[in-house]
């Protein structure tokens, strides 16, 4: 069962609206915009979690990020997966 929907009026630059409408395809502009807003909310929530974690534990260094990326690449190779970052 899908979530209830509401009708909203938004304002955006015409070129962005036209590009979104073209990419929306059969699902339409509303579905495309809803998916984009949902992704942005996920990113905002993740950024909030990162801020809380960094406030408590300090920021993650570039060296730590690189070490974790290498660990991820090794694990993917061992599992026969891709090497995408």
């Amino acid at each position: 069962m899908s979530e209830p929907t509401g009708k909203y009026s938004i304002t955006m630059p015409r070129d962005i609206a036209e590009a979104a409408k073209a990419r929306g395809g059969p699902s339409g502009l509303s579905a495309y915009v809803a998916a984009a807003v949902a992704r942005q909310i996920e990113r905002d929530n993740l950024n909030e979690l990162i801020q809380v974690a960094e406030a408590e534990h300090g920021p993650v260094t570039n060296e730590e990020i690189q070490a974790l990326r290498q660990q991820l690449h090794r694990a993917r190779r061992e599992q026969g997966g891709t090497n995408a970052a």
Side-chain angles (χ1 to χ4, degrees), residues 10-18 20 29 33:
I10 62 169
T11 303
M12 70 175 77
R14 185 169 304 193
D15 59 335
I16 293 173
E18 291 303 320
L29 178 61
V33 171

Side-chain angles (χ1 to χ4, degrees), residues 9 11-12 16 21-24 30 35 38 44 51 59 61 64 71-74:
S9 174
T11 303
M12 70 175 77
I16 293 173
K21 190 184 284 189
R23 291 182 178 269
S30 291
D44 293 345
Q51 288 175 356
T61 67
E64 290 170 318
Q71 186 179 9
L72 179 60
H73 289 307
R74 279 193 301 275

Side-chain angles (χ1 to χ4, degrees), residues 15-68:
D15 59 335
I16 293 173
E18 291 303 320
K21 190 184 284 189
R23 291 182 178 269
S27 298
L29 178 61
S30 291
Y32 189 85
V33 171
V37 171
R39 280 191 307 275
Q40 185 62 47
I41 290 169
E42 289 174 353
R43 293 180 76 157
D44 293 345
N45 289 339
L46 181 57
N47 283 333
E48 289 171 10
L49 288 171
I50 290 169
Q51 288 175 356
V52 168
E54 286 186 340
E56 187 174 331
H57 304 286
V60 178
T61 67
N62 285 334
E63 292 79 15
E64 290 170 318
I65 292 170
Q66 284 305 105
L68 289 170

